[in-house]
């Protein structure tokens, strides 16, 4: 019998088991994320590729998907986004490993492609410089090299022979990420905020009278504490802007360009105003509405110092993280409007989440067209020249707050029910609130003491209610004589309408 060498079984090329291949991918991903996060601590938190990709995803998300995310997860949409990204990345990492059971190259190509996405995301961020590209580049290089290294070790010595390499990678990635997180958080603006010291109002807001809310009947308290104040913004990582580094530039269609430092602003006579802010994304009955005492300078005064030129229609405001809003100049300059550049909130410097060092507040307008937090730039321009962040995403150019009301609580006993809630028509004022049960006759509610037309008003009413299930409905009438419409409108493009109803069981 002759032996034909050509028919001999080929020497099997070394091959990783699926588990080891997948692990190679996952640990290379960990190394990439850890390295990027560490470098980002030196060149800007938002340069961390994972966060930059998340921020880019937020900015690129189509409006329908954004609304779905907010509906489904409320203000928890950001953790959900990050968790979703983590799952996708893990799957890609496992996939990259499985593509590379013999040769390292296919997996490395996947790593390079994803690294490039990180570079692109950081490159397009408005709040980090070119140096910030060092972070995603570090991720890319660490990912490619570690993949090659682990792959080679596992291929030549098997899993048991290369335990050390795998362990070293896992530990190094974890340490890099943790150190990056720690170094990055030491640069936050909290220290600068703590050093601001007391801010005093030359013109304090009036004290809040005892009858301004019906908290005992279940309404919110008239003033919302800073920690309970609703928060809406596009920032995955809160912008950290030390007051010492902050400036506000006013330019565009003005007679003279002005730049203010934080000291310039705080040393001016400060006014305090009570204002109820509201988000255009607040659904009927929703939670995105709160009231605070804001302290700052009159925005119309600042603009007049710069000298607003004829033809300026839009105040285009930009924040340190690149968010923009467009506000009608005519509204800001309206006598008595009370628009502010605010630096204080409820007796403290603005919390970082609410815009420290400074934000805009315009009574009567939804936040997306007026309330820019971390504001650094005010440009006077026309509507045609520039489109702000949410206008580019299908929301309306003009955003006056719609007259609305909400039921907060029902308490029943002995054939009666007390229904209580809030109503708002900022800068117009609430004149009447009516409640009815099960489509019956409207009954007028008792209103709280009016503190300012720029804030919400609380109400309560007592109605007859037999034991069992009932539905309460509320509607408000504002001082212009307008009664809240029952026509149901979605939050897009300019705010929800409809009557809020609540079904409850009477005792
Ligand atoms: N920089 C920045 N400012 C912003 C936003 C944002 O995404 N980024 N969102 C706006 C919107 S939509 C609203 S409703 C208000 C909310 O302010 P608050 O978080 O203090 O309640 O901030 C406005 N200012
Ligand atoms: Mo908003």
């Amino acid at each position: 019998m002759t032996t034909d060498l050509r028919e001999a079984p080929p020497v099997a090329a070394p091959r990783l088991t699926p588990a080891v291949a997948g692990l190679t991918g996952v640990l290379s991903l960990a190394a990439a994320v850890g390295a990027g996060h560490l470098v980002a601590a030196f060149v800007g938190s938002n340069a961390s590729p994972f966060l930059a990709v998340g921020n880019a995803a937020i900015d690129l998300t189509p409006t329908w998907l954004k609304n779905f995310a907010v509906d489904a997860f409320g203000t928890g949409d950001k953790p959900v986004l990050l968790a979703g990204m983590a799952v996708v990345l893990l799957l890609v990492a496992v996939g990259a490993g499985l593509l590379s059971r013999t040769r390292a190259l296919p997996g490395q190509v996947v790593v390079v492609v994803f690294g490039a996405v990180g570079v692109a995301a950081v490159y397009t961020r408005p709040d980090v410089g070119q140096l910030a590209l060092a972070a995603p580049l570090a991720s890319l290089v660490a990912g490619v090299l570690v993949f090659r290294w682990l792959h080679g070790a596992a291929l030549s010595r098997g899993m048991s022979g290369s335990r050390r390499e795998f362990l070293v990678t896992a530990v190094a990635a974890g340490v890099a990420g943790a150190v990056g997180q720690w170094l990055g958080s030491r640069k936050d603006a909290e220290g600068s905020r703590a050093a601001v010291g007391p801010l005093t109002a030359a013109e304090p807001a009036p004290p809040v009278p005892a009858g301004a809310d019906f908290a005992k009947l279940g309404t919110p308290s008239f003033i919302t504490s800073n920690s309970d104040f609703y928060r809406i913004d596009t920032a995955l990582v809160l912008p950290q802007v030390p007051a010492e580094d902050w400036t506000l530039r006013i330019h565009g269609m003005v007679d003279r360009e002005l730049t203010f430092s934080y000291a310039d602003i705080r040393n001016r006579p400060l006014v305090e105003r009570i204002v109820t802010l509201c988000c255009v994304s607040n659904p009927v009955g929703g939670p995105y509405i709160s009231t605070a005492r804001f302290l700052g300078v009159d925005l119309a005064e600042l603009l007049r110092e710069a000298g607003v030129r004829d033809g300026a229609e839009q105040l285009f405001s930009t924040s340190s993280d690149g968010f923009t809003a467009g506000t009608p100049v005519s509204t800001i300059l309206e006598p008595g409007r009370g628009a502010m550049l605010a630096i204080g909130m409820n007796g403290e410097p603005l919390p970082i989440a609410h815009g420290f060092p400074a934000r805009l507040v315009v009574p009567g307008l939804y936040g997306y067209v007026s309330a820019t937090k971390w504001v650094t730039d005010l440009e006077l321009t026309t509507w045609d020249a520039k489109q702000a962040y949410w206008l580019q995403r299908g929301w309306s150019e003009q955003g006056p707050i719609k007259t609305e009301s909400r039921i907060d609580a029902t308490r029943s006993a002995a054939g009666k029910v007390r229904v209580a809630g809030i109503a708002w028509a900022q800068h117009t004022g609430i004149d009447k609130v009516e409640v009815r049960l099960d489509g019956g006759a409207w009954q007028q509610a008792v209103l709280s003491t009016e503190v300012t037309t720029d804030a919400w008003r609380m109400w309560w009413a007592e109605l007859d209610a037999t034991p069992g299930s009932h539905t309460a409905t509320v509607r408000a009438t504002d001082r212009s004589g307008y009664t809240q419409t029952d026509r149901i409108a979605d939050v897009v493009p300019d705010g929800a309408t409809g009557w809020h109803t609540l079904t409850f069981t009477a005792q």
Side-chain angles (χ1 to χ4, degrees), residues 270-411:
L270 300 177
V271 293
E272 189 183 42
R273 292 176 183 149
I274 294 171
V275 182
T276 296
L277 290 191
C278 181
C279 185
V280 69
S281 296
N282 195 37
V284 171
Y288 306 135
I289 179 163
S290 301
T291 302
R293 304 165 163 275
F294 289 98
L295 181 71
V297 297
D298 190 82
L299 184 57
E301 255 176 52
L302 282 190
L303 297 191
R304 285 206 188 87
E305 272 179 40
V308 177
R309 292 233 173 112
D310 284 348
E313 302 163 330
Q314 175 181 207
L315 181 70
F316 192 84
S317 51
T318 306
S319 73
S320 70
D321 67 337
F323 171 85
T324 56
T327 314
V329 171
S330 57
T331 305
I332 296 169
L333 296 182
E334 219 177 82
R337 173 60 67 160
M340 309 172 77
L341 173 73
I343 59 170
M345 183 171 173
N346 292 330
E348 291 173 20
L350 274 183
I352 290 173
H354 296 289
F356 179 81
R359 75 175 305 168
L360 301 185
V361 172
V362 184
L365 302 188
Y366 286 124
Y368 83 108
V369 291
S370 67
T372 305
K373 306 191 273 190
W374 315 288
V375 63
T376 56
D377 191 284
L378 299 178
E379 179 179 351
L380 287 126
T381 183
T382 60
W383 292 110
D384 280 344
K386 288 196 139 175
Q387 288 209 325
Y389 188 92
W390 289 113
L391 188 51
Q392 292 169 27
R393 289 163 176 79
W395 296 74
S396 161
E397 173 190 278
Q398 304 282 326
I401 296 176
K402 295 178 178 175
T403 299
E404 271 288 325
S405 52
R406 181 181 85 189
I407 302 171
D408 283 274
T410 58
R411 293 188 188 169

